Amino acid sequence: MQPINRIPSSVVATTMLILAGLTIPRAGYGAIWNITAGAESADLGRQALAFLPNELWIHAGDSVTWTFASDEPHTVSFLTADQLRPTVPHDGDIITPDGSSFDGSAYVNSGELCRNPALCPPAVSNTYTVKFPTVGNFKLSCLAHLYMQGRIHVLAVSALLPYDAAGYEQQATVERADLLSDVSPLPDSRVTALRVIAGVGAVASAGGGFQTAAVMRFFPAIITAHVGDTVEWTNLDAVTNHSVTFGTDPMTLRQPAPIGVVPGVNANLDADGALHANLNSPTDNVHSGALWPLPADRALNGPNPEVDPALNPPDLPQYPLPVGVHDFNQRYRVTFTHAGIYDYHCAYHDNLGMVGRVIVLR
Ligand SMILES: [Cu+2]
């Protein structure tokens, strides 16, 4: 073997550059990984509330660009370890600039973005990029949807990555197809003449956390009743809130309106806890408030004693509850006192085509 000082320095330099190029993965130079947030059917009724794929292994120094692919808005948000989920995810929240870095020390949040930026003001783009300068495993959350999560595993530049871009594309395609066909839109046995399903949805899980499949439709969309009949709506979605809204949207969507104040258009509680409104005319305004699925029970005494408390969260994985879920109910009833055509909508998802009609005959 020749001593290295016998080799011209230019040859050594060139050889080292070639070796460097061969042994250091390209991603080490700051690769950008392109994935998507959200997916929807052509009619917008089926929504995948998911990061696709929801788990990614990258190198320190790499960036991830999410393209928002649905009319339903989502956020790309990285909370710090001790940070609680913001109370108001949609409005007035801190938004960090496109291209922000996340290393676990400071909050990064895209704000609500969607496929068409014009539908998600003040957004001007349907992409958001986050740079990951340091090694770590980071949880990704959508602040608009509680059960929409992901994980970004940031590895040392020398580490081998398990998947390439094509591999992630394949995973995303499978997860997308699965979520967009996940729930049955019409469980026939539960629909009778005067009962309407206000949305169906299910929570699924992938390696990086929760994903949600939701069908944002009323089933059936058109229903015929007679004067004096009561129609009942039930939200069958595991986590997505919907509303039954006749007329104009109130200022606060979460609260029912009006309640006990407008003669003839009152919304009162039935004995079984369901809100119940009376409608006299298609021009009356009534709003169910957010119809939420009932939350699971909280765990007694916090940690499971069989598990090291230091390793076990104090509550079940579903908790803490999203702030503000205290006025939930899943059911709403309306009695129609006059004939007419009554159009209604979900105040949260009418932009996706979640609308319905009750034809009231004499
Ligand atoms: Cu809805």
Side-chain angles (χ1 to χ4, degrees):
M1 189 178 166
Q2 278 188 314
I4 199 155
N5 61 5
R6 293 274 186 86
I7 303 171
S9 59
S10 60
V11 173
V12 173
T14 307
T15 308
M16 285 177 72
L17 277 175
I18 290 168
L19 281 174
L22 286 175
T23 54
I24 296 176
R26 259 183 70 216
Y29 291 106
I32 298 174
W33 300 84
N34 291 291
I35 64 171
T36 56
E40 63 195 4
S41 59
D43 71 353
L44 315 185
R46 284 176 175 269
Q47 294 285 329
L49 313 177
F51 299 106
L52 302 164
N54 84 334
E55 201 172 18
L56 220 57
W57 289 260
I58 65 173
H59 284 137
D62 288 358
S63 298
V64 180
T65 296
W66 284 268
T67 296
F68 291 75
S70 60
D71 284 34
E72 175 75 357
H74 301 292
T75 76
V76 162
S77 309
F78 291 91
L79 279 61
T80 58
D82 57 354
Q83 184 182 354
L84 291 177
R85 197 179 163 88
T87 314
V88 183
H90 299 264
D91 308 302
D93 196 20
I94 296 165
I95 293 174
T96 53
D98 188 23
S100 290
S101 284
F102 186 76
D103 61 7
S105 66
Y107 179 40
V108 163
N109 177 31
S110 67
E112 286 195 307
L113 298 176
C114 64
R115 185 176 61 85
N116 177 359
L119 301 176
C120 296
V124 294
S125 162
N126 67 340
T127 68
Y128 189 74
T129 299
V130 180
K131 188 172 184 180
F132 298 90
T134 58
V135 166
N137 294 297
F138 302 117
K139 180 183 174 184
L140 162 62
S141 301
C142 167
L143 296 184
H145 301 100
L146 186 63
Y147 293 88
M148 175 168 168
Q149 303 174 349
R151 288 283 191 290
I152 308 296
H153 308 285
V154 184
L155 309 181
V157 171
S158 56
L160 270 179
L161 300 180
Y163 304 103
D164 59 7
Y168 286 123
E169 186 56 48
Q170 222 167 38
Q171 291 170 30
T173 301
V174 171
E175 286 175 22
R176 186 183 295 115
D178 189 32
L179 290 168
L180 291 180
S181 63
D182 203 26
V183 280
S184 164
L186 193 55
D188 288 328
S189 63
R190 289 192 250 197
V191 178
T192 64
L194 296 176
R195 292 207 175 96
V196 179
I197 290 167
V200 184
V203 176
S205 183
F210 290 116
Q211 302 179 320
T212 305
V215 183
M216 304 205 180
R217 285 292 182 269
F218 294 107
F219 306 111
I222 300 175
I223 191 170
T224 302
H226 288 86
V227 170
D229 279 349
T230 298
V231 178
E232 179 182 282
W233 286 262
T234 307
N235 179 0
L236 295 184
D237 193 299
V239 288
T240 309
N241 56 314
H242 297 293
S243 81
V244 174
T245 306
F246 290 85
T248 53
D249 293 354
M251 290 298 286
T252 308
L253 295 187
R254 187 162 282 167
Q255 303 296 336
I259 182 158
V261 289
V262 181
V265 198
N266 292 346
N268 296 307
L269 287 178
D270 281 345
D272 64 359
L275 281 167
H276 191 156
N278 295 307
L279 266 183
N280 291 331
S281 145
T283 58
D284 285 346
N285 299 316
V286 298
H287 170 68
S288 64
L291 299 179
W292 287 82
L294 291 167
D297 300 322
R298 302 200 74 164
L300 181 65
N301 297 330
N304 178 346
E306 293 175 12
V307 180
D308 179 354
L311 300 175
N312 199 34
D315 284 312
L316 299 172
Q318 294 92 333
Y319 285 82
L321 277 173
V323 178
V325 182
H326 46 74
D327 51 357
F328 50 80
N329 60 77
Q330 279 173 262
R331 189 161 286 132
Y332 191 58
R333 298 191 184 108
V334 175
T335 299
F336 295 87
T337 59
H338 290 79
I341 294 174
Y342 294 76
D343 287 322
Y344 67 96
H345 61 281
C346 167
Y348 296 94
H349 304 112
D350 50 345
N351 63 312
L352 303 175
M354 189 164 180
V355 297
R357 169 175 285 184
V358 181
I359 300 166
V360 181
L361 307 173
R362 271 173 232 289

